[in-house]
Amino acid sequence: MTATGATWRNWARTESVRPLRVERPATASAVQRAVVAAAASGLRIKPVGSGHSFTGVAVAPGVQLDLTDLAGIIDADAATGRVTLAAGTRLHQLPLLLAPYGLAMANMGDIDRQTIAGATSTGTHGTGLAFGGLATQIVAARLVTGTGELLTVSETERPDLLPAVRLGLGALGVLVEVTLQLVPRYVLHAVERPEPLGDVLDGWMDRVHDADHFEFYWFPHTDAALTKTNTRLPGDAPRQPLGRVSRWVDDELLANGAYRAICALGRVAPGTTPGFARLVERLSGGRDFADFSPRVYTTHRSVRFREMEYAVPLEAVPDAFREVRALIERRGWRVSFPIEVRAAASDDVWLSTAYGRETGYVAVHRYFREDPTEYFAAVEEIMRSFGGRPHWGKMHTQTAETLRELYPRFDDFLRVRDELDPEGRFANPYLDRVLGAARPADGAARARTSPESRP
């Protein structure tokens, strides 16, 4: 199925494009035909997931592949815990799909609207020093290369490509299937409470090593951190889920409804932001509950925002965070969105932000109707001074020249790109910036691309 004329926008409204053509393949062979047809027309082609990347990684000026219909479980083995998913499967669909097999993802982030291909291809991660990003759960994948070949990559078939394909930025081909190594379904015991910020920073290394999953949020202009500590329990452990009313009050009325009003008011009257931040701090009381993992990891976010996240060496988190806090105070900025801090295990995925080192993540946000440029640029300078690597799906200004210094296998990844996409069929302006320009596909420049704000 093809369509033309509609303007696509990402969730954060940082990027938009009017593709020359939109195709909605429902099978791997249909993806192959689309790639071959794009090549015949001299066009670039890119898949798009749910649009939750803040960068232009999925912007498709030529042919846009909407993989919504390429979804669901293809194969599952409860005994080994391996499940093959179609690339367009949304993360929020997984609990229902995996329930018959008694399986779950080993770790998740806090948003589940992404497709499995989009989340893994951009380095989505959760928190917990025993767990890598979602891409580390991939044990095999099938993708359509720039020449239209359907290629299988696994531990036994082209295993040399697996460290690149697991997190490929959409630059290596169109993922049509991913096989994940899952774990038996489990319960998380969640303890959420405000604590003095200084104590949390001083105890950072102990907290992340002692807990299965630890993270914290800090609202600028306050002195408390909102900590979240999750402990893993067997799948048959007693559950004490949040009540429906309690969850609605916390996650919808306060976290979305009231917070949307606070952000909107802060935009027109910045002086009100510190007072409202302290109010949010007081309203964010402690919670203690236990439920199946997806209901603890994820939250519903309806307030739009823009985000930049940097990965720094784990031990550098407290110092990097303190510098950001001092920056906000020194500049007198009024920031209504919290800073989020998480951790992840070292891994061997070539373009993973946690490649080769235990990693801490510091994420800053702004309400989507506010200009984040000055704030993000100043925070980025701090993060770069600590050897920070930017999240591929979140706003940043780095280029291939600066990123090459941060990733020991950067040029190895480019060699794989040259092999699988020799004509630059899957390139776009963002990938040209962060990977270096690929060979242009002749007709791509005819499309109208209009980023509404540029990272």
Side-chain angles (χ1 to χ4, degrees):
M1 179 178 180
T2 63
T4 59
T7 297
W8 174 89
R9 294 181 175 85
N10 65 344
W11 181 83
R13 301 300 187 259
T14 55
E15 299 285 341
S16 70
V17 67
R18 183 175 294 176
L20 291 176
R21 186 165 75 241
V22 178
E23 301 202 18
R24 299 182 175 89
T27 64
S29 59
V31 173
Q32 289 181 276
R33 289 194 295 272
V35 171
V36 171
S41 300
L43 296 174
R44 288 178 170 178
I45 181 169
K46 289 202 69 64
V48 63
S50 57
H52 260 276
S53 289
F54 297 82
T55 66
V57 65
V59 168
V63 180
Q64 181 188 77
L65 286 182
D66 182 339
L67 300 185
T68 300
D69 295 333
L70 199 66
I73 290 180
I74 296 170
D75 187 37
D77 186 336
T80 64
R82 295 196 168 186
V83 173
T84 300
L85 299 167
T89 308
R90 262 58 173 178
L91 297 182
H92 68 84
Q93 298 171 321
L94 292 184
L96 184 61
L97 291 173
L98 297 177
Y101 307 98
L103 297 172
M105 297 189 76
N107 201 8
M108 296 181 69
D110 59 356
I111 295 176
D112 62 1
R113 300 294 104 180
Q114 308 100 315
T115 63
I116 187 62
T120 54
S121 293
T122 54
T124 295
H125 61 91
T127 192
L129 276 190
F131 308 94
L134 270 62
T136 65
Q137 300 177 41
I138 295 178
V139 294
R142 299 182 81 198
L143 67 159
V144 177
T145 71
T147 60
E149 176 190 0
L150 183 60
L151 175 68
T152 299
V153 177
S154 70
E155 296 153 312
T156 57
E157 298 179 72
R158 294 301 307 269
D160 56 307
L161 299 182
L162 198 54
V165 169
R166 279 173 164 165
L167 199 169
L169 302 179
L172 308 180
V174 180
L175 285 172
V176 293
E177 297 177 13
V178 293
T179 300
L180 304 180
Q181 178 63 64
L182 302 181
V183 299
R185 185 168 65 170
Y186 56 101
V187 169
L188 286 176
H189 175 210
V191 177
E192 302 176 359
R193 64 186 183 188
E195 300 181 50
L197 177 62
D199 292 349
V200 173
L201 292 175
D202 290 342
W204 164 253
M205 292 297 287
D206 289 336
R207 297 292 289 271
V208 294
H209 279 101
D210 292 346
D212 290 326
H213 308 273
F214 177 76
E215 65 183 300
F216 73 88
Y217 293 82
W218 174 68
F219 281 89
H221 323 298
T222 72
D223 295 316
L226 305 178
T227 64
K228 296 186 176 186
T229 304
N230 296 334
T231 302
R232 300 166 80 93
L233 302 173
D236 58 359
R239 292 185 297 125
Q240 296 176 308
L242 291 171
R244 181 173 298 181
V245 173
S246 174
R247 181 180 287 273
W248 181 83
V249 169
D250 288 347
D251 295 345
E252 296 299 329
L253 180 62
L254 295 179
N256 286 311
Y259 195 57
R260 181 181 293 104
I262 290 171
C263 290
L265 180 59
R267 177 173 174 261
V268 297
T272 65
T273 297
F276 278 122
R278 290 187 285 271
L279 175 62
V280 170
E281 176 190 24
R282 290 195 298 271
L283 292 174
S284 300
R287 301 197 302 185
D288 188 322
F289 63 101
D291 209 341
F292 289 123
S293 55
R295 292 183 62 81
V296 177
Y297 286 135
T298 63
T299 56
H300 178 237
R301 303 277 186 88
S302 63
V303 181
R304 295 186 196 273
F305 57 88
R306 279 120 187 231
E307 181 175 1
M308 181 179 72
E309 181 177 63
Y310 262 79
V312 298
L314 185 71
E315 65 278 4
V317 165
D319 288 341
F321 184 95
R322 290 187 179 101
E323 288 198 24
V324 174
R325 186 187 190 190
L327 169 73
I328 294 171
E329 293 174 351
R330 185 170 63 250
R331 297 288 186 91
W333 288 329
R334 297 294 181 255
V335 180
S336 57
F337 256 87
I339 295 175
E340 181 182 19
V341 181
R342 294 179 285 173
S346 172
D347 65 51
D348 60 359
V349 179
W350 291 351
L351 291 190
S352 167
T353 48
Y355 179 85
R357 68 188 188 193
E358 288 189 324
T359 295
Y361 293 92
V362 180
V364 295
H365 314 70
R366 290 306 297 259
Y367 183 51
F368 85 113
R369 295 191 185 280
E370 297 172 329
D371 184 357
T373 304
E374 186 179 11
Y375 177 41
F376 283 9
V379 172
E380 185 173 44
E381 184 176 353
I382 292 172
M383 295 302 154
R384 291 184 65 173
S385 73
F386 287 94
R389 298 166 175 163
H391 190 299
W392 296 104
K394 299 178 184 180
M395 298 172 72
H396 67 95
T397 65
Q398 296 219 45
T399 66
E401 288 70 25
T402 58
L403 291 165
R404 177 176 280 106
E405 301 171 2
L406 301 173
Y407 290 94
R409 305 302 295 269
F410 190 86
D411 287 320
D412 293 324
F413 182 90
L414 295 187
R415 281 191 284 273
V416 173
R417 181 181 66 160
D418 289 343
E419 175 188 345
L420 300 187
D421 187 23
E423 295 183 353
R425 193 63 51 198
F426 304 118
N428 70 2
Y430 176 77
L431 293 183
D432 286 347
R433 173 164 70 88
V434 300
L435 297 179
R439 295 185 184 91
D442 296 340
R446 293 181 293 169
R448 289 173 286 172
T449 307
S450 55
E452 296 178 355
S453 68
R454 291 195 180 274

